[in-house]
Amino acid sequence: MSQNLGMHNRRNCVGVKVGSVIVGGNNPVVVQSMTNTDTADVEATVKQIQELAAAGSELVRITVNNDESAAQVATIWERLDAVGCNVPIVGDFHYNGHQLLTDYPECAQALAKYRINPGNVGFGKKRDNQFAIMIEKAIEYNKPVRIGVNWGSLDQVLLAKMMDDNAKLAEPQEVDDVMREALIVSALDSAKKAEEIGLSRDHIILSCKVSGVQKLISVYKDIASRCDYALHLGLTEAGMGSKGIVASTAAMGVLLQDGIGDTIRVSLTPEPGGDRTNEVIVAQEMLQTMGLRSFTPLVTACPGCGRTTSTVFQELANNIQAYVRSQMPIWREKYLGVEEMTLAVMGCVVNGPGESKHADIGISLPGTGETPAAPVFIDGKKTITLRGENIAAEFRSIVDKYVEGRYPQK
C-alpha cells in the first residue's frame, strides 16, 4: 500500500517489527483491531480474525486472560496459517500475564507481540517481579511489547505519590494535569525498566489511552516530545456509532496531522450483533481521506438536495462503494496501485460533471426534471452516456475494464 505525500511530517521514532509488519521508523501508519470473541472458542476467534484481516486490519489483538484462552492461542495461529491468513496476532494481558506466558510457552511463541498494562501487572511487592517476568519472556521469545497505560487503570501507587507531591507545592497543578503526567510517567518509567531488564528499544511501543478527545491530544503531544518510542494511538472507549467515529477521527486526526502516531485502533462499540470490521474501515478511511495512505478506492458522492429527489444516485454510490470493497482483496493481489483509484457518483448537473471529471471514473446522474441520461467521465473525458434500468451493472463493468486497462499486473 502506498505511502503518500501526507507522510512527510511524521515524527521520527524507532521502528518495531511485529511479525511481518513494521510499526514506526517512518513506515506508514499501521491499522489494527481487536477481537471480541472468547479466545478459548477457537472457531469463533479464527473466523473473526480472518474477517478483520480481510477488511484490512494489519495487526489483530486477542484477549489472553485465563488458562483456557492461553491454551488455544497456538491452535488459533496454526489454523490461520493453514488458510494463508498471516496477520500478526497480539496478546492482551492483564493481572496474570506473567503466569500465562510462563505456563504456556506455545502461546508465548505464537503471539507476534505482547500488550502489557503497567497498572494491571500486579500490586504491592509482586508488581515489579511480575512485570520483569513478562519482559523476560518477551526477550526469550524475541517479541516486541506494547506498554499500554490506560486512564481507567492507572498505577494507583504512582498516582497517589504524584498527587501527594503536587499537594505540597506552593502552587499545585490541576488534578487532570497531574493524572495526565502520571500516565506519561507510568509509560516512560515502565519502558525504562524494560530496557534495564534487557528489552531493546526497537521492541517497545507505548500508548497512553484516555476517552476524551482533548485529553488524548494533550497526552500524546506531550509524550511524543519526550521520547522516540513508536506510539500506538486510540481512544480507550470511543463509543458507539457516529459518536465513536467522530470522537476517534477528531482526536487522532489532529495528532496524525502533526506526525504523531505509528499504529492506530478505532475502538468502536458495535451494535448488538454488529460487524466488528467497521472499526477497521473507519481507521482506513481516516488515513485515506487525510492523504496518509491508500487502501481502497473511495467514492465521492454529493449529499443530495432539492434537485435530487430521486434516490438513484444514493443507491448507486452505495452499490459502487460496496462493490469496490468486495473486489479489493482480488484487485490488491493482481494489480499495482488500484487502491488509489478515485470514483465519483453525482446526483445532478450543478456539480456532477465537474466532480466527475476530477475523478478517475465519474458518473453524473440526472437530477429532478433533468434529461434521463447519465454521462460517464473517464480520466476527465466524457466517454459514454448510460440510460435505462441497468446503469449500476453497466457502471460496475466500466470500473472493471478501467482497472484491467489502467493498472499494471503484479
Side-chain angles (χ1 to χ4, degrees):
M1 296 176 189
S2 64
Q3 182 174 354
N4 295 334
L5 294 178
M7 303 293 291
H8 75 281
N9 63 341
R10 285 287 301 285
R11 158 185 170 268
N12 289 324
C13 69
V14 177
V16 180
K17 194 170 188 296
V18 184
S20 58
V21 175
I22 300 178
V23 175
N26 288 318
N27 289 285
V29 179
V30 172
V31 172
Q32 64 178 275
S33 58
M34 184 175 185
T35 60
N36 62 355
T37 59
D38 179 355
T39 305
D41 185 339
V42 173
E43 294 293 335
T45 303
V46 168
K47 180 175 182 292
Q48 192 170 87
I49 291 172
Q50 287 181 283
E51 291 169 349
L52 291 166
S57 185
E58 294 159 303
L59 300 174
V60 177
R61 183 159 44 114
I62 62 175
T63 298
V64 187
N65 61 327
N66 53 34
D67 293 285
E68 291 78 13
S69 62
Q72 296 301 334
V73 170
T75 300
I76 290 168
W77 182 86
E78 288 167 2
R79 290 277 299 277
L80 291 167
D81 185 59
V83 295
C85 181
N86 57 5
V87 62
I89 306 302
V90 179
D92 193 60
F93 295 97
H94 297 268
Y95 309 112
N96 58 354
H98 63 290
Q99 196 66 55
L100 296 175
L101 287 171
T102 300
D103 292 348
Y104 297 92
E106 298 87 356
C107 168
Q109 180 60 54
L111 292 169
K113 184 178 73 171
Y114 310 153
R115 185 279 174 110
I116 303 173
N117 182 342
N120 290 342
V121 169
F123 305 98
K125 296 179 180 178
K126 294 181 178 180
R127 181 187 181 281
D128 289 347
N129 182 57
Q130 291 176 182
F131 179 79
I133 290 172
M134 296 187 75
I135 297 301
E136 287 165 359
K137 289 299 175 184
I139 295 168
E140 179 182 348
Y141 293 100
N142 192 29
K143 306 295 181 179
V145 168
R146 171 159 71 95
I147 296 173
V149 183
N150 271 11
W151 187 264
S153 52
L154 190 53
D155 182 343
Q156 293 303 301
V157 174
L158 173 65
L159 180 60
K161 181 182 182 303
M162 293 182 67
M163 286 293 188
D164 288 344
D165 291 345
N166 182 63
K168 296 173 185 176
L169 296 175
E171 295 183 10
Q173 293 182 308
E174 295 291 330
V175 170
D176 273 5
D177 291 335
V178 178
M179 290 189 71
R180 182 187 70 188
E181 180 64 13
L183 280 166
I184 295 169
V185 169
S186 178
L188 294 178
D189 282 359
S190 297
K192 182 180 178 182
K193 289 176 183 175
E195 286 197 66
E196 289 172 351
I197 294 167
L199 191 66
S200 60
R201 293 179 75 77
D202 64 357
H203 279 57
I204 299 173
I205 298 172
L206 299 185
S207 66
C208 290
K209 290 192 174 184
V210 298
S211 4
V213 170
Q214 295 298 340
K215 286 185 175 69
L216 191 84
I217 294 170
S218 178
V219 166
Y220 272 90
K221 284 190 173 183
D222 199 343
I223 194 170
S225 70
R226 292 160 65 174
C227 74
D228 64 354
Y229 295 110
L231 297 178
H232 167 97
L233 290 189
L235 290 169
T236 186
E237 292 100 13
M240 297 182 72
S242 60
K243 184 269 178 185
I245 294 171
V246 170
S248 295
T249 52
M252 287 191 271
V254 170
L255 293 166
L256 290 166
Q257 186 64 26
D258 284 346
I260 298 170
D262 304 290
T263 178
I264 64 172
R265 186 204 170 191
V266 178
S267 300
L268 295 181
T269 304
E271 300 287 342
D275 192 342
R276 191 70 168 177
T277 61
N278 285 340
E279 66 178 51
V280 179
I281 293 170
V282 172
Q284 289 181 331
E285 291 182 349
M286 184 194 313
L287 294 172
Q288 187 154 350
T289 54
M290 291 184 70
L292 300 180
R293 290 192 66 182
S294 295
F295 295 93
T296 189
L298 296 181
V299 177
T300 297
C302 70
C305 66
R307 290 176 175 269
T308 57
T309 53
S310 168
T311 61
V312 173
F313 85 93
Q314 298 164 339
E315 293 164 358
L316 181 58
N318 185 63
N319 182 299
I320 291 300
Q321 184 68 79
Y323 180 69
V324 296
R325 280 202 171 277
S326 70
Q327 289 296 104
M328 264 313 291
I330 301 169
W331 289 344
R332 187 182 295 117
E333 294 299 317
K334 192 173 181 181
Y335 300 105
L336 290 170
V338 68
E339 65 274 5
E340 296 181 358
M341 180 173 61
T342 58
L343 302 167
V345 178
M346 305 304 293
C348 78
V349 74
V350 173
N351 290 319
E355 286 283 358
S356 296
K357 289 177 182 177
H358 288 307
D360 291 324
I361 310 174
I363 185 169
S364 181
L365 293 164
T368 305
E370 293 178 13
T371 303
V376 175
F377 298 83
I378 298 178
D379 294 331
K381 297 179 180 179
K382 181 180 173 181
T383 59
I384 191 173
T385 298
L386 303 181
R387 295 180 174 85
E389 301 298 321
N390 296 316
I391 287 178
E394 291 173 8
F395 191 65
R396 288 198 301 270
S397 177
I398 290 170
V399 171
D400 284 336
K401 289 177 182 177
Y402 184 85
V403 170
E404 292 171 8
R406 165 74 182 275
Y407 299 100
Q409 292 196 20
K410 292 185 176 180

